[in-house]
Amino acid sequence: MLTFLFLLVIGLSTSMISYIYYKNKDKADKGFIINYYHLSYRRRFFRDLTFTLPLYIVILVFTFLQTNWSFLTYFLVCVGAGLLLFGSTFFNYYKWKQTEQD
């Protein structure tokens, strides 16, 4: 449990530092960029569809194979992951179209 909390703190702090660093900088719309916060909303949208969606599916399948949860728990995990992915993808699409109009 302590290892999980340590990794969670490291991951969240790294994400927060990247977000703050790239907050007011120009976003990249071409080329290979590893950092999510350095991407434009258009590229974030496509990354969500091409990278995050398959990763979610692999993680969910692996979770189903490695755990012995009830059907309700599996269902809630799938719905929660789906809502998170849909929310972030919709937000990026909305912001992409909004920045195109400006």
Side-chain angles (χ1 to χ4, degrees), residues 45-87:
F45 174 72
F46 289 119
R47 180 177 282 186
D48 281 349
L49 292 179
T50 59
F51 178 72
T52 310
L53 178 63
L55 184 63
Y56 269 41
I57 292 170
V58 168
I59 289 172
L60 288 175
V61 168
F62 182 73
T63 302
F64 294 154
L65 295 176
Q66 296 297 320
T67 60
N68 192 18
W69 295 340
S70 67
F71 176 76
L72 179 63
T73 306
Y74 288 139
F75 179 75
L76 292 176
V77 166
C78 283
V79 168
L83 287 174
L84 285 173
L85 181 63
F86 175 76

